[in-house]
Amino acid sequence: MNTKVLHLVEYLYQGGIERFLAEIGRIIPEAQLKQKFFAYEMDEFSGAANELKKLGKDVQIYKKEHGYDAKLLSKLHRLIANERITILHTHDFGPMEYAVALKILNPRLVLIHTQHTLHHFVTNRKYVLFFQLASYFYQHIISVSEHVKDVLVKKCWGMKGIPVVIHNGVDAKRYCELKEIAFTDIEGPKLRLVCISRISREKNLEHILLACKKLKESNVDFHLHHAGTGTQKEVESVLNFINDNQLDKHITLHGYQEDVREVLRLGDIFVSSSLTEGHPIAVLEAMASQKLCLCSDIPAHQKISNEGIILFSLEEKNALFNRLLEIKDRKMDYKSKIAIASNDIKEKYTLQQMITRYLDLYNFSTRQSSFAV
């Protein structure tokens, strides 16, 4: 394949998009597909950008100026011309404004877009209008789940065509080997909780912390391990809550982790209280790791595994707390959930399935573009 793909993103630090790109970079050999990665909201190599660089991948970072950055556009234009990029693959809404301009400057450039999340633009009328306009410059628009596709179709009714769904996937073999703590092998009723998420409003970690406070007040034996970070203000807010409520012996914040398996292996119950998601990779990793998954009742969580995930309402103040008490006293009743979720990963959400779909799409897009010329 002579295809050269440039992945354009805002950040390459932590989160689902970053893990998605890190896995694509790790798995697909250079001989099969030449890939380059460009993040334009970073001024130092860290997180996924650093991971990819260690793998020998071509990664470039840039800290753009406030507003529309003409220098960034010029830099990307030169990169595409000099490296003979055939496909520009944008991830989430932000990079699309540069991609449209680059398509005008490079008519033969193929544009592919993957929409991973929704909260950043579907509530903004101006952004929704631009997304619809931009779609006519793209050869393919991809959504990571049926939920994301349905919202795009509803909100962006004037867009070109209907998005193709390519589910996020995980390397099931890497995660199913985590056997240090098995759900039903725990001695005693202690709750060993684990959460993998950014510290942000959308990930809603505060909801889990409030449940932890309630567990402590009820003298329930538990420990929460969290991996992920956020802005200094957001992290300080979490630390203040932990200290103010004397939860420091019950909660460990591990910060950014290059390999989240090191934290996943510390717990047997995975918890996510997200307000919104696209197709959450952290939940898929937990399912593959054979953790019992306890997730907020939102569309993205509802559709991942109908019978393998336990849902709790965010609207009911003590719903998560009550679910945890039920699980603590009746662990064996939930063992089947783990097997169902693990099987769903193997059948529907493997990394190889995802990569095969993208490689097929890249091949098809390159051939289609050649015929058009």
Side-chain angles (χ1 to χ4, degrees):
M1 183 193 291
N2 295 320
T3 304
K4 291 184 179 180
V5 177
L6 173 62
H7 295 281
L8 183 61
V9 292
E10 290 183 286
Y11 302 95
L12 263 177
Y13 179 46
Q14 63 163 353
I17 296 175
E18 286 86 344
R19 295 223 285 284
F20 165 92
L21 290 171
E23 288 291 73
I24 278 185
R26 180 178 68 87
I27 292 294
I28 302 177
E30 193 76 8
Q32 191 171 8
L33 179 70
K34 290 179 171 57
Q35 299 183 93
K36 297 180 183 298
F37 303 84
F38 194 108
Y40 61 79
E41 286 283 10
M42 297 181 72
D43 52 13
E44 64 178 21
F45 279 95
S46 57
N50 207 34
E51 289 179 48
L52 286 163
K53 195 175 181 183
K54 287 179 182 177
L55 290 171
K57 303 302 176 181
D58 188 339
V59 184
Q60 295 189 38
I61 60 173
Y62 176 93
K63 185 61 179 176
K64 86 175 191 69
E65 297 177 358
H66 182 71
Y68 195 88
D69 189 342
K71 292 179 182 177
L72 171 59
L73 178 63
S74 177
K75 186 178 180 68
L76 288 168
H77 179 47
R78 289 195 303 273
L79 174 63
I80 288 167
N82 293 340
E83 297 293 336
R84 297 186 178 182
I85 300 297
T86 49
I87 295 176
L88 178 61
H89 190 162
T90 53
H91 298 270
D92 268 5
F93 177 75
M96 294 183 82
E97 61 178 338
Y98 293 100
V100 169
L102 290 165
K103 175 67 173 177
I104 293 171
L105 293 170
N106 305 271
R108 297 180 66 176
L109 182 66
V110 174
L111 299 188
I112 292 176
H113 178 73
T114 297
Q115 192 61 41
H116 298 261
T117 60
L118 294 165
H119 56 271
H120 289 304
F121 88 92
V122 291
T123 57
N124 186 307
R125 185 170 179 270
K126 181 176 70 173
Y127 293 166
V128 167
L129 287 172
F130 178 79
F131 185 92
Q132 294 175 86
L133 173 65
S135 70
Y136 288 86
F137 291 83
Y138 277 80
Q139 195 156 320
H140 298 286
I141 301 288
I142 300 159
S143 62
V144 296
S145 68
E146 285 79 6
H147 167 60
V148 172
K149 181 197 77 173
D150 293 344
V151 173
L152 287 178
V153 170
K154 181 180 179 180
K155 296 283 186 178
C156 304
W157 51 267
M159 69 183 296
K160 185 183 77 173
I162 296 175
V164 174
V165 175
I166 300 181
H167 291 124
N168 288 334
V170 294
D171 189 343
K173 186 177 180 181
R174 292 182 76 214
Y175 288 91
C176 71
E177 294 170 351
L178 300 182
K179 299 185 183 297
E180 283 194 17
I181 295 182
F183 179 68
T184 53
D185 292 340
I186 303 296
E187 292 184 6
K190 183 170 184 174
L191 292 169
R192 302 174 191 265
L193 313 176
V194 61
C195 176
I196 313 291
S197 74
R198 290 193 317 275
I199 298 177
S200 66
R201 187 190 71 82
E202 293 79 21
K203 299 303 180 183
N204 195 25
L205 181 59
E206 179 186 3
H207 195 90
I208 298 175
L209 296 178
L210 288 170
C212 288
K213 179 185 175 186
K214 187 79 172 174
L215 289 171
K216 181 178 179 291
E217 291 171 348
S218 302
N219 295 314
V220 175
D221 192 12
F222 78 96
H223 199 98
L224 169 68
H225 291 275
H226 176 272
T229 188
T231 65
Q232 183 177 347
K233 182 179 178 180
E234 289 165 332
V235 173
E236 285 179 355
S237 177
V238 169
L239 288 171
N240 289 338
F241 183 94
I242 292 171
N243 293 329
D244 292 346
N245 293 282
Q246 293 82 50
L247 288 166
D248 51 298
K249 293 183 179 179
H250 297 276
I251 299 176
T252 302
L253 300 179
H254 295 268
Y256 172 76
Q257 295 291 305
E258 188 169 309
D259 188 347
V260 297
R261 292 178 300 170
E262 297 306 310
V263 176
L264 278 171
R265 69 171 73 247
L266 298 174
D268 61 318
I269 302 170
F270 174 87
V271 187
S272 170
S273 56
S274 293
L275 297 172
T276 178
E277 289 283 2
H279 196 245
I281 288 179
V283 178
L284 300 180
E285 291 167 339
M287 291 165 63
S289 302
Q290 300 177 52
K291 308 299 177 186
L292 181 67
C293 293
L294 186 53
C295 301
S296 51
D297 191 1
I298 59 174
H301 288 156
Q302 294 165 4
K303 296 181 179 182
I304 290 180
S305 177
N306 291 334
E307 301 295 330
I309 288 178
I310 302 169
L311 301 173
F312 64 88
S313 172
L314 290 172
E315 296 178 1
E316 297 176 27
K317 183 179 178 181
N318 293 321
L320 174 56
F321 168 73
N322 291 331
R323 278 290 196 182
L324 288 169
L325 290 185
E326 289 176 15
I327 292 168
K328 178 179 72 71
D329 296 330
R330 297 165 43 208
K331 281 190 174 182
M332 289 303 296
D333 293 349
Y334 293 94
K335 187 175 180 181
S336 63
K337 296 279 186 184
I338 297 171
I340 292 171
S342 178
N343 191 59
D344 280 343
I345 290 290
K346 295 170 185 175
E347 289 188 357
K348 299 186 288 186
Y349 309 127
T350 68
L351 184 62
Q352 193 55 54
Q353 287 170 327
M354 181 190 80
I355 286 175
T356 298
R357 292 285 307 279
Y358 275 107
L359 287 174
D360 288 345
L361 191 69
Y362 291 151
N363 269 318
F364 175 76
S365 299
T366 303
R367 290 197 303 272
Q368 195 175 45
S369 178
S370 298
F371 290 143
V373 173

